[in-house]
Amino acid sequence: MTESLEAASPVLSIRNLKTHFFTDLGVVPAVDGVDLEVFAGQTLGVVGESGCGKSVTGLSAMRLVAPPGKIVSGEILLRDENLLTLTEKEMQQRRGRDLGMIFQEPMTSLDPLYPVRDPLMEALLAHTAMTKQEALQESIRLLGAVGIPNPEKRVNSYPHELSGGMRQRVMIAVALSCKPAVLIADEPTTALDVTVQAQILALLRDLQKETGTAILMITHNLGLVAENCQTVAVMYAGKVVEKAPVRTLFKNPRHPYTQGLLRAVPRLDHPPKQPLPTIPGMVPNPLRLPTGCRFRSRCLFAIDKCAAEQPPLAELGGGHVSACWVQPEFSLVPSETRAAS
Amino acid sequence: MTEPLIRVENLTKHFHSGGGFLGGSASTVRAVDGISFEVLRGETLGLVGESGSGKSTTGRLLLRLVEPTSGMAYYENQELFGLSASEMKPLRRKMQIVFQDPYGSLNPRMTVSNILREGLEPLGLSRTEEEAEITRLLEIVGLRSTHRNRYPHEFSGGQRQRIGIARALAVKPEFLIADEPVSALDVSIQAQVLNLLLELQQRLNLTMLFIAHDLAVVRHMSDRIAVMYLGKIVEIAESGQIYLNPRHPYTRSLLAAIPIPDPDAKPAETSADPGAQSVRSEGCVFRSRCSFATDKCAQEPALVEVEPGHLSACHFANTLPSL
Ligand SMILES: Nc1ncnc2c1ncn2[C@@H]1O[C@H](COP(=O)(O)OP(=O)(O)OP(=O)(O)O)[C@@H](O)[C@H]1O
Ligand SMILES: Nc1ncnc2c1ncn2[C@@H]1O[C@H](COP(=O)(O)OP(=O)(O)OP(=O)(O)O)[C@@H](O)[C@H]1O
Ligand SMILES: [Mg+2]
Ligand SMILES: [Mg+2]
């Protein structure tokens, strides 16, 4: 299966993307040389430490990074077209129709002054040939499809009248309204209970089957990644540090950061109320990134070479790459010897 | 036997929204619909449930950020809803909330240190003590001391959530309402924040109402768990019991839908018809989605004890097959 995927060409490719923020204190390299590819009908999961640049990567693909942020180099290819060379007007036509995004913060991305039918109808009227009446009917249908009860009534609600999860579903309905070729879903279901979450993911899978949508799914929920993604990229401090087919990533992660993430997940069989394993330390200050590997100060495996030289993404076979000089073996329980040293 | 710090009796909140466009009629949302529960001193009560089932509203009612339609709530033995604003003031310090929406709840025009300073104000610290405390709070939640001069929009979603947590902890509350405190965090920071909350709880005997959707997280944090559906508590029990022996069909469907962080595990179940959910009908609130429902469910089931300390609002609580 993996071979045939690699043979196909990606719908969205992000190549050596650098998006930096030019702040008063200095340059924050939020995204610092990221390569990602998303294929038709497939879901790529992106996980990583809070602040590592996942949302900025997604926003860059939509060309929605606001100043002081700026895409400083790289390519965003939608099939063969480099989106970074388009005019803003051309880009507007791609947004919504070719590229949809579910934003991380539903409250701030819905305008409090307008009822929820407005963003929905606006998207439909801009990108389809629907009449107003048809767009309204379709809006109601979409709200129903994302599991909002009484959609005929709710279509007239204002954002503050909705619970967190309902707002999130409105955003999902907006993003799905024009069946985009690429959907960037930034934490799409964090505010939803697991039964609704399962429904939304089923809806995304149906859309994927129907129209071959390529999904880039940014999430902290490793359960969702395990169930919905074919490939997973792990980011740390502006870089992709590991990428692999989903099963490989969970069973045989080779980057110490990925390994730490997997151990930190609370599992139903963990003893309750006992401390969870964490990754010691903090992400480096983006204004003063260390030499060599950006994870090294928190890494139990670091060797001298890690300070001297930044590890490249090394090929481990089968579509698995990891940026580590050591590439330690993984077990869910950290080894005593390492912990003690 | 520990006594309750918080006691809620028959709490109800109805929102009215006017009719509008397309001649829709005015409607009432029964956001919280007659719930009763206690939170014991030093314990964590987990609150899970459907999106829109009234969890955040319950938290906001306890802090009097919204006023109830009816019902009572007690802090120790003080009834909250009868208090005047000035009587409420000392209690406001003892009760804090970490909001679900970290951006909307942080003033975008204030730097992090001013946001935290606002929280510290009632403690009457000197300027140097305040600065030291701000550094300490930032450290506790895993932010850098130099972050203090930045504005909320300069942070990622997860970093903002940590600012919200630092602000809530600033006044050293006795009772903390954590409304999805970790859903914006990656799992390693989540683990740090959860460990922190557990540690604070032990050290300060903090009492918590912990609202979240991640059932593994809720299980990890809570002594007891209440499950809400459409404004009602449908099940409440010691947390191990909720997971091992759920006695309400909604709780069972929640457990079945947990995504497991293992690609070899069986995928989560999807209950059939999303459009059918949450349609309020006469009788049991869960009836329209329930695969066990019979005619009997046209009568609303009461929340009754099915085993010591374990309550369920289902006519078939005792005969549901085990998981
Ligand atoms: N306007 C801004 N000014 C300065 N820095 C910014 C700005 N916006 C974002 N950043 C920085 O860019 C980095 C990447 O942020 P991003 O929102 O992409 O993180 P993320 O990986 O999505 O995190 P989370 O999981 O918490 O959502 C962060 O370190 C953040 O502080
Ligand atoms: N200010 C308001 N005006 C009108 N309706 C409201 C208001 N606030 C909340 N509601 C309604 O009350 C119900 C409960 O909302 P609440 O925010 O308490 O849900 P929740 O359980 O926290 O959901 P979520 O898990 O999605 O955050 C919802 O139907 C919501 O639409
Ligand atoms: Mg983000
Ligand atoms: Mg809520």
Side-chain angles (χ1 to χ4, degrees):
Chain A
M1 187 170 145
T2 3
E3 274 118 80
S4 66
L5 293 181
E6 270 156 20
S9 62
V11 187
L12 179 75
S13 353
I14 296 173
R15 294 210 185 139
N16 198 21
L17 176 71
K18 295 191 180 174
T19 304
H20 295 178
F21 286 86
F22 297 86
T23 70
D24 296 344
L25 298 173
V27 179
V28 176
V31 177
D32 205 20
V34 162
D35 289 280
L36 292 173
E37 295 185 321
V38 203
F39 294 86
Q42 299 259 315
T43 302
L44 168 72
V46 179
V47 301
E49 180 112 358
S50 173
C52 70
K54 304 179 297 293
S55 297
V56 173
T57 301
L59 291 168
S60 300
M62 299 287 290
R63 280 190 40 194
L64 288 174
V65 179
K70 192 173 180 314
I71 298 176
V72 292
S73 67
E75 288 178 351
I76 310 276
L77 299 175
L78 178 67
R79 299 190 190 91
D80 299 320
E81 180 177 62
N82 185 357
L83 297 179
L84 299 184
T85 61
L86 300 184
T87 64
E88 177 54 31
K89 191 147 177 245
E90 290 167 327
M91 191 61 211
Q92 267 170 20
Q93 291 164 351
R94 304 293 184 281
R95 283 187 210 117
R97 198 189 55 199
D98 295 316
L99 289 160
M101 180 154 181
I102 301 169
F103 295 94
Q104 187 170 7
E105 276 160 1
M107 193 49 193
T108 40
S109 14
L110 285 174
D111 191 325
L113 297 179
Y114 298 95
V116 301
R117 63 171 185 267
D118 279 32
L120 279 164
M121 289 178 61
E122 228 164 72
L124 291 165
L125 293 173
H127 298 300
T128 67
M130 286 184 200
T131 64
K132 266 199 167 159
Q133 194 52 38
E134 286 166 343
L136 179 65
Q137 284 316 312
E138 178 63 8
S139 302
I140 292 171
R141 192 194 67 79
L142 283 162
L143 290 182
V146 293
I148 294 200
N150 297 321
E152 316 74 28
K153 279 205 178 120
R154 287 300 195 173
V155 79
N156 297 319
S157 294
Y158 286 83
H160 76 272
E161 296 176 322
L162 303 177
S163 77
M166 288 176 174
R167 281 177 223 147
Q168 196 164 37
R169 281 180 276 175
V170 171
M171 287 303 301
I172 293 170
V174 173
L176 299 186
S177 61
C178 300
K179 305 194 165 123
V182 178
L183 178 68
I184 298 168
D186 194 354
E187 302 282 1
T189 57
T190 39
L192 304 178
D193 80 69
V194 288
T195 68
V196 178
Q197 171 172 282
Q199 285 161 4
I200 297 281
L201 287 155
L203 189 73
L204 293 182
R205 282 193 297 266
D206 289 348
L207 178 77
Q208 222 165 19
K209 250 189 246 147
E210 184 195 335
T211 60
T213 303
I215 301 179
L216 191 146
M217 188 156 88
I218 300 170
T219 178
H220 290 307
N221 187 328
L222 292 170
L224 283 188
V225 171
E227 287 190 357
N228 295 285
C229 302
Q230 286 74 40
T231 315
V232 191
V234 181
M235 286 182 68
Y236 190 79
K239 292 195 167 290
V240 172
V241 294
E242 185 161 16
K243 195 161 46 179
V246 64
R247 196 167 183 285
T248 309
L249 193 103
F250 278 84
K251 300 297 171 180
N252 189 24
R254 300 305 287 275
H255 196 285
Y257 174 65
T258 313
Q259 299 179 344
L261 270 189
L262 290 175
R263 290 195 192 103
V265 184
R267 289 163 203 271
L268 285 170
D269 51 9
H270 258 181
K273 303 204 95 168
Q274 293 307 305
L276 294 161
T278 58
I279 301 173
M282 234 190 264
V283 274
N285 183 343
L287 295 169
R288 274 191 297 278
L289 288 168
T291 58
C293 173
R294 292 179 182 179
F295 186 62
R296 75 180 152 89
S297 65
R298 306 173 70 182
C299 183
L300 299 170
F301 299 95
I303 52 175
D304 291 345
K305 192 173 184 184
C306 305
E309 230 181 303
Q310 202 170 92
L313 275 171
E315 296 283 347
L316 301 172
H320 185 185
V321 291
S322 163
C324 176
W325 291 122
V326 182
Q327 310 277 15
E329 294 287 339
F330 176 65
S331 74
L332 254 186
V333 190
S335 77
E336 299 294 324
T337 47
R338 286 286 172 186
S341 70
Chain B
M1 183 72 208
T2 351
E3 86 283 19
L5 181 69
I6 301 287
R7 193 152 49 87
V8 170
E9 281 173 10
N10 230 337
L11 183 60
T12 298
K13 174 67 190 178
H14 294 176
F15 289 105
H16 303 281
S17 50
F21 193 67
L22 289 183
S25 54
S27 57
T28 301
V29 176
R30 291 193 261 173
V32 173
D33 203 14
I35 63 171
S36 303
F37 62 89
E38 293 176 346
V39 193
L40 307 183
R41 195 180 276 282
E43 94 166 332
T44 300
L45 177 68
L47 195 53
V48 302
E50 210 202 8
S51 164
S53 60
K55 304 179 296 297
S56 298
T57 304
T58 301
R60 297 166 64 87
L61 283 165
L62 289 176
L63 290 185
R64 296 206 37 204
L65 297 173
V66 286
E67 291 299 314
T69 305
S70 64
M72 310 273 213
Y74 298 86
Y75 190 95
E76 291 176 314
N77 286 315
Q78 211 163 11
E79 204 288 313
L80 292 173
F81 302 135
L83 298 180
S84 67
S86 63
E87 289 168 325
M88 191 65 200
K89 210 167 172 199
L91 282 177
R92 284 218 192 276
R93 219 197 294 167
K94 295 184 180 170
M95 299 197 272
Q96 287 291 312
I97 185 163
V98 177
F99 286 100
Q100 182 170 3
D101 174 4
Y103 197 59
S105 60
L106 296 175
N107 184 339
R109 284 184 200 83
M110 281 165 79
T111 60
V112 170
S113 67
N114 284 335
I115 289 169
L116 297 181
R117 193 164 289 126
E118 208 179 38
L120 292 169
E121 212 159 71
L123 302 182
L125 304 176
S126 74
R127 186 76 184 193
T128 22
E129 284 169 334
E130 243 177 36
E131 289 304 312
E133 187 61 13
I134 289 172
T135 306
R136 194 185 69 90
L137 286 166
L138 289 174
E139 201 168 285
I140 282 181
V141 297
L143 291 172
R144 217 177 296 286
S145 173
T146 51
H147 280 139
R148 67 174 71 211
N149 298 322
R150 297 221 240 150
Y151 291 87
H153 75 268
E154 296 177 57
F155 291 91
S156 76
Q159 291 166 327
R160 274 177 220 154
Q161 188 61 298
R162 285 184 270 168
I163 300 168
I165 293 172
R167 178 180 60 183
L169 295 176
V171 286
K172 306 197 166 63
E174 286 183 347
F175 178 53
L176 184 70
I177 298 173
D179 192 354
E180 313 237 14
V182 293
S183 60
L185 306 180
D186 69 86
V187 288
S188 69
I189 311 275
Q190 167 178 288
Q192 285 173 14
V193 171
L194 296 179
N195 289 351
L196 167 75
L197 290 174
L198 288 171
E199 187 205 314
L200 289 171
Q201 178 160 49
Q202 275 211 329
R203 230 175 48 208
L204 313 171
N205 202 28
L206 197 63
T207 304
M208 278 196 280
L209 182 67
F210 189 91
I211 304 172
H213 283 304
D214 185 325
L215 296 163
V217 168
V218 176
R219 157 85 205 247
H220 189 74
M221 297 301 288
S222 308
D223 299 288
R224 290 185 307 130
I225 294 175
V227 182
M228 282 187 81
Y229 193 84
L230 273 182
K232 304 234 181 237
I233 291 179
V234 296
E235 184 162 10
I236 183 166
E238 185 265 306
S239 69
Q241 286 308 100
I242 288 278
Y243 286 86
L244 292 174
N245 186 26
R247 293 285 102 199
H248 193 282
Y250 175 61
T251 312
R252 293 165 59 101
S253 64
L254 277 181
L255 295 176
I258 300 178
I260 308 293
D262 179 351
D264 291 344
K266 184 167 85 56
E269 274 173 35
T270 320
S271 27
D273 181 6
Q277 69 166 352
S278 337
V279 178
R280 185 184 288 273
S281 38
E282 287 303 296
C284 174
V285 281
F286 190 57
R287 193 179 156 202
S288 62
R289 268 176 85 186
C290 183
S291 53
F292 299 97
T294 67
D295 291 346
K296 193 171 178 189
C297 305
Q299 275 168 22
E300 188 175 328
L303 184 66
V304 294
E305 195 158 71
V306 289
E307 58 181 322
H310 188 163
L311 285 74
S312 161
C314 173
H315 292 302
F316 304 105
N318 286 311
T319 54
L320 291 176
S322 49
L323 270 191

